[in-house]
Amino acid sequence: MPRASSLSQFTWLALANPTRRSILERLSHGEARVTELARPYSMSLNAVSKHIRVLERARLIRRRRAGRDHFLSFNPDPLTSAAAWIAAQRFLWMSRLDALDALLQAEDAATPKSNKRKDKSR
Amino acid sequence: MPRASSLSQFTWLALANPTRRSILERLSHGEARVTELARPYSMSLNAVSKHIRVLERARLIRRRRAGRDHFLSFNPDPLTSAAAWIAAQRFLWMSRLDALDALLQAEDAATPKSNKRKDKSR
DNA sequence: ACTATATTCAACCTTAAGGTTGAATATGCC
DNA sequence: GGCATATTCAACCTTAAGGTTGAATATAGT
């Protein structure tokens, strides 16, 4: 039973929710307090506080306490592995297509002359 | 109430599950039938069938019917917008850091002269 | 000390996610 | 036709996700 990219599990989970992605978008412009973050949404402050905890667990945001205010800031590091995963899958798919292409080209090259040598140019 | 990247909603949801990511990894090497896909996992065939439907809804995989066999193939297109979102957030964060850096540098340049004029360059 | 503000904690509710099992459907093979 | 194989459909169960409300905690301001 294979397990995929186990460490960044929390990252994908955190990114699955539109509100949380929206929060990250906000924070990518600079840090903000919890109340500030919550203001644009129609949900309760507590709900946003929960979203923040999920993002924190995924280490996508960091918290700096200054008195009663908690300042949240964006940490893009975990996004790196997510982006890498995506890039890898796209690469694998493309290279598989290229291999197929090369195979077909080789067969095309082999048939016209009825000359059955292998294609050495690639 | 802002809504983030609403169209690719299904993409993020589909990617949130490790089994589904694992299925995508398998399919990035080439197409496979449902039973083949399900074999490595300890869960039931039906469970995998459900995961496949989720991936299909996100248009991350395509289905080609050949008799009783259904061949699934990877479609990397939706990954593009996900990757773009990640890239955008990282870019915004970096450029914000750069702006901050420039600001500090400007202040450094202003102070040594003990010249207390207001910073008009912002 | 008192009151207002910022944030979390705890208990609860509703719904959807992920899984199971058993039956239905469609195709392939003899 | 009859039987095996490939896949989905439908009904159900369990748990976690996302939300609410009300109280607790901590700090700020006067």
Side-chain angles (χ1 to χ4, degrees):
Chain A
M1 27 187 156
R3 302 204 353 108
S5 46
S6 53
L7 216 158
S8 54
Q9 175 61 18
F10 288 136
T11 309
W12 292 110
L13 228 78
L15 294 177
N17 184 279
T19 301
R20 284 194 292 266
R21 287 198 302 280
S22 170
I23 289 177
L24 285 185
E25 288 171 12
R26 166 66 184 79
L27 286 179
S28 69
H29 295 290
E31 65 176 14
R33 292 179 307 118
V34 176
T35 316
E36 282 168 15
L37 280 181
R39 187 158 25 238
Y41 306 99
S42 53
M43 71 189 72
S44 75
L45 176 66
N46 276 6
V48 174
S49 180
K50 273 188 175 185
H51 281 306
I52 287 172
R53 267 205 313 168
V54 174
L55 288 167
E56 236 181 332
R57 188 183 55 171
R59 301 200 329 283
L60 280 163
I61 67 180
R62 295 214 194 83
R63 186 187 301 255
R64 174 174 67 85
R65 250 150 290 222
R68 57 181 175 177
D69 296 325
H70 296 203
F71 286 92
L72 289 324
S73 63
F74 181 40
N75 174 31
D77 295 353
L79 290 187
T80 306
S81 51
W85 185 88
I86 291 181
Q89 306 319 312
R90 293 213 280 184
F91 175 78
L92 286 170
W93 179 247
M94 291 312 173
S95 53
R96 177 210 152 271
L97 283 187
D98 287 353
L100 198 94
D101 218 44
L103 200 78
L104 291 180
Q105 230 173 338
E107 279 186 25
D108 272 3
T111 40
K113 272 275 179 185
S114 82
N115 195 343
K116 291 206 165 196
R117 72 174 187 290
K118 281 212 169 171
D119 183 17
K120 290 193 173 177
S121 72
R122 185 188 301 247
Chain B
M1 24 186 156
R3 301 202 353 107
S5 47
S6 56
L7 216 160
S8 56
Q9 176 60 19
F10 288 136
T11 308
W12 292 110
L13 229 78
L15 292 177
N17 183 279
T19 302
R20 285 195 290 266
R21 287 198 302 279
S22 169
I23 289 176
L24 285 186
E25 288 172 11
R26 166 66 184 78
L27 286 179
S28 68
H29 295 290
E31 64 176 15
R33 294 179 305 119
V34 177
T35 317
E36 282 168 16
L37 279 182
R39 189 156 25 238
Y41 305 100
S42 52
M43 70 189 71
S44 77
L45 176 66
N46 275 8
V48 174
S49 181
K50 272 188 175 184
H51 281 306
I52 288 172
R53 268 205 312 169
V54 174
L55 289 167
E56 237 181 330
R57 188 182 55 169
R59 300 199 330 284
L60 281 163
I61 67 180
R62 294 213 194 83
R63 188 186 300 254
R64 174 174 66 86
R65 250 151 290 222
R68 57 183 174 174
D69 296 324
H70 297 204
F71 286 92
L72 289 323
S73 63
F74 181 42
N75 173 30
D77 294 354
L79 290 187
T80 307
S81 51
W85 185 88
I86 290 180
Q89 305 322 311
R90 293 212 279 183
F91 174 78
L92 287 171
W93 179 248
M94 292 314 173
S95 53
R96 177 209 151 272
L97 284 187
D98 288 353
L100 198 93
D101 218 44
L103 199 78
L104 291 180
Q105 232 171 338
E107 280 188 23
D108 271 3
T111 39
K113 275 275 183 187
S114 82
N115 197 342
K116 289 205 166 191
R117 74 179 184 284
K118 278 209 172 177
D119 184 16
K120 290 193 174 175
S121 69
R122 184 177 305 246

